[in-house]
Amino acid sequence: MRSFDIFLMGLKNLFRRKTRTILTVLGVVIGTAAIVVMVSLGIGMNESFEAQLKQMGNLNIINVTKYRNTPDNSSGPPKEIVLDDAAIAKISKIEGIRGVTPVIEGSMKLISGKYMAYVQVMGIDVKSMPDFDYPVAQGRLLQEGDTDKIVVGAYIPQYFYNPKNYYGSIDGKPLVDVMTDKIEATFDMSYGEKHQQGTGGSDTSAKAPKLYKLKPVGILEITNDWQKDGYIFMDYLNLQKLMKDASKGQGGQNMMFDISSTSKGYERLMVMVDKIKDVDRIQAEIDDMGYGTNSLADIRKSMQKQSQTVQLVLGAIGAISLIISALGITNTMIMSIYERTREIGVMKVLGCKMKNIRQLFLLEAGIIGLLGGCIGVILSYLTSYAINTIGRSYLNSGRGGMFGIGMGMGDAESRISSIPPWLALLSIAFAILIGLISGFSPARRAMKLSALEAIKTE
């Protein structure tokens, strides 16, 4: 028999008993939809975890710190390590690293006319700034020779307020245009406040805090990364110089940094890895060099293990439904053999090959799996949409409690259920496979029927 004839005969046989075929397909639909939706919840949780981590920082960045816990000093204070230019050169030789920069951090107060803003400042190597994916919304990044220049995070313009009434921006419009207005900075965090003088204020005998002129040359795009959106950036050598100058003038009063932390090397190093899949390997190599390391990959690993466990449990629950539907396919095919025993006998007498009979029954079982799988995936997408629409509103309303926090539903773009294309295609393929496996035993049974005995069957 030709393959096309087998295909037409298979379709005809399926629609001969429409009700039974529809019920069997419905079982596969429910099983497929169950396994897809269950797995999609685990994938949605994993995506939410990833989104939360990205808000905490860049997943490709490894922090190299001055302190390291080792088995030798696990019971005592951590061992201090010097992070200097030699350490930077050594780490930079590791394959897969895009850039390395020293980091110096502190707190400053920006002043523009009558307005002020508390900000965190990060000193970095301006030559490596393009390597760390700082997206510019306006202006440019820092360049070599930018001693008094800064780049501000996207949220910094909103931080300015009037110290007389503590009012900030109105209707979301910044009080200061950082790109055009005059900007000065001080390390005295009480500068310009009402309580600066007198009781509870700073010592009136101390020198007046020194103001440093700064020129913003760029504003970053919103990244939802607090280490970019809420910081200002400048050359680390210039920041170190300003900190030392301010410390001499103010004696460390009202300043939120420790100048002694930069006396021996740098506070920490930031390492940008080119590909996220190499983060674990490179972090291990840096750790083997004797340096202390940490990255979001440490948190990511534990989250991924938790997500994989959830996906496995939910997928297993859904798979049970699909396996049960396989019993329905087997039952349908066996009943079909009983009803078509005489027809099978006639086919054998007319010279139909055994493999054609086997192909016929496997085709019918495969079609049931294909139809059930395709409809099940469509139903899964509809269910996923309903879960995301209704569930997100419920969780974001605050009624979801800790479950909403655990699912990472603080972001309006977060999804509770996520069905990637590979999951849909894999589910359809699995449904077809289940159909073929279910139809294999009935197909063998049909092949073993005696032609003469089958013809005699009424």
Side-chain angles (χ1 to χ4, degrees):
M1 294 178 65
R2 295 180 303 173
S3 299
F4 184 70
D5 293 330
I6 294 175
F7 180 74
L8 290 179
M9 185 177 291
L11 288 177
K12 180 181 178 182
N13 291 332
L14 285 176
F15 287 100
R16 184 185 296 175
R17 295 289 185 269
K18 294 184 181 67
T19 302
R20 186 167 63 202
T21 301
I22 291 173
L23 291 175
T24 306
V25 170
L26 184 59
V28 180
V29 169
I30 295 173
T32 302
I35 192 171
V36 172
V37 172
M38 290 293 186
V39 174
S40 75
L41 292 174
I43 295 174
M45 179 181 291
N46 190 54
E47 289 183 355
S48 296
F49 285 156
E50 293 282 348
Q52 286 178 311
L53 286 176
K54 287 180 180 178
Q55 291 180 359
M56 295 169 64
N58 194 313
L59 296 175
N60 290 56
I61 290 179
I62 300 172
N63 291 303
V64 183
T65 63
K66 296 170 58 176
Y67 299 97
R68 170 185 170 86
N69 283 312
T70 63
D72 297 334
N73 68 338
S74 56
S75 59
K79 180 181 178 182
E80 184 173 357
I81 304 161
V82 177
L83 298 176
D84 51 16
D85 293 336
I88 294 176
K90 187 177 180 182
I91 292 172
S92 299
K93 293 178 181 178
I94 299 176
E95 184 180 355
I97 288 180
R98 189 193 304 174
V100 182
T101 179
V103 175
I104 297 175
E105 294 180 277
S107 297
M108 302 178 79
K109 177 176 278 190
L110 299 184
I111 302 102
S112 181
K114 63 180 180 180
Y115 302 113
M116 301 180 184
Y118 293 102
V119 298
Q120 294 292 111
V121 57
M122 182 183 293
I124 59 175
D125 184 356
V126 296
K127 296 192 297 295
S128 64
M129 195 171 190
D131 297 328
F132 283 80
D133 297 334
Y134 290 99
V136 180
Q138 185 178 349
R140 61 172 176 83
L141 295 178
L142 295 173
Q143 300 174 353
E144 288 189 73
D146 286 344
T147 54
D148 62 340
K149 307 294 193 302
I150 61 172
V151 168
V152 303
Y155 295 157
I156 298 299
Q158 302 289 343
Y159 288 179
F160 283 90
Y161 68 97
N162 189 334
K164 292 184 178 180
N165 51 31
Y166 293 97
Y167 288 159
S169 60
I170 302 174
D171 298 328
K173 186 178 180 181
L175 298 174
V176 174
D177 185 343
V178 295
M179 294 295 289
T180 58
D181 293 345
K182 180 182 178 182
I183 302 291
E184 294 180 302
T186 179
F187 290 99
D188 185 349
M189 305 309 287
S190 67
Y191 179 86
E193 303 295 338
K194 292 180 180 180
H195 59 272
Q196 182 178 358
Q197 303 293 337
T199 305
S202 59
D203 186 0
T204 56
S205 63
K207 295 181 180 180
K210 189 173 181 178
L211 299 182
Y212 304 95
K213 294 182 179 180
L214 298 177
K215 175 59 181 175
V217 294
I219 302 176
L220 299 180
E221 293 179 359
I222 296 177
T223 63
N224 293 322
D225 179 349
W226 66 276
Q227 288 190 334
K228 291 180 180 177
D229 296 338
Y231 272 70
I232 68 171
F233 303 88
M234 65 191 305
D235 179 71
Y236 75 98
L237 293 174
N238 187 47
L239 178 59
Q240 200 170 38
K241 179 181 176 183
L242 296 182
M243 284 180 168
K244 289 180 179 179
D245 184 66
S247 181
K248 289 179 181 178
Q250 297 173 231
Q253 202 168 41
N254 297 322
M255 297 189 304
M256 297 181 67
F257 66 87
D258 181 11
I259 192 63
S260 63
S261 64
T262 62
S263 59
K264 294 183 179 180
Y266 308 114
E267 294 179 16
R268 65 182 174 97
L269 306 179
M270 277 199 312
V271 178
M272 171 61 83
V273 179
D274 199 30
K275 297 179 181 178
I276 194 170
K277 65 183 180 67
D278 294 330
V279 171
D280 291 338
R281 172 184 63 81
I282 293 175
Q283 184 172 348
E285 289 188 37
I286 297 174
D287 197 65
D288 291 340
M289 290 178 179
Y291 301 108
T293 61
N294 65 74
S295 70
L296 291 177
D298 300 331
I299 306 174
R300 187 169 178 256
K301 277 188 242 178
S302 62
M303 284 184 168
Q304 282 181 332
K305 287 182 180 178
Q306 179 183 351
S307 177
Q308 288 170 357
T309 302
V310 172
Q311 287 184 47
L312 183 62
V313 172
L314 295 178
I317 294 173
I320 292 173
S321 302
L322 194 55
I323 292 172
I324 292 174
S325 69
L327 300 177
I329 297 176
T330 303
N331 179 67
T332 296
M333 301 313 299
I334 291 176
M335 291 300 297
S336 178
I337 292 173
Y338 284 129
E339 293 173 356
R340 294 155 56 191
T341 301
R342 185 179 180 84
E343 177 184 330
I344 295 170
V346 172
M347 291 172 62
K348 287 186 175 183
V349 170
L350 293 177
C352 182
K353 296 179 181 180
M354 291 295 183
K355 70 173 185 179
N356 294 142
I357 295 175
R358 181 180 61 203
Q359 290 171 352
L360 177 62
F361 280 88
L362 289 178
L363 174 67
E364 293 176 17
I367 290 175
I368 290 175
L370 176 62
L371 290 175
C374 291
I375 299 173
V377 167
I378 294 173
L379 179 61
S380 300
Y381 275 107
L382 294 175
T383 305
S384 178
Y385 177 78
I387 290 174
N388 289 328
T389 303
I390 300 172
R392 188 188 295 121
S393 299
Y394 175 75
L395 294 175
N396 287 341
S397 67
R399 289 175 289 176
M402 291 303 296
F403 180 76
I405 297 173
M407 288 292 290
M409 290 293 107
D411 186 357
E413 298 299 322
S414 297
R415 293 182 294 179
I416 303 174
S417 171
S418 176
I419 305 177
W422 65 263
L423 177 59
L425 295 175
L426 187 62
S427 300
I428 294 174
F430 188 55
I432 295 173
L433 179 62
I434 289 292
L436 293 175
I437 293 174
S438 302
F440 183 75
S441 178
R444 283 178 56 85
R445 187 168 183 171
M447 289 169 59
K448 291 180 180 181
L449 284 175
S450 170
L452 293 177
E453 291 297 328
I455 292 175
K456 293 178 183 179
T457 304
E458 295 294 334

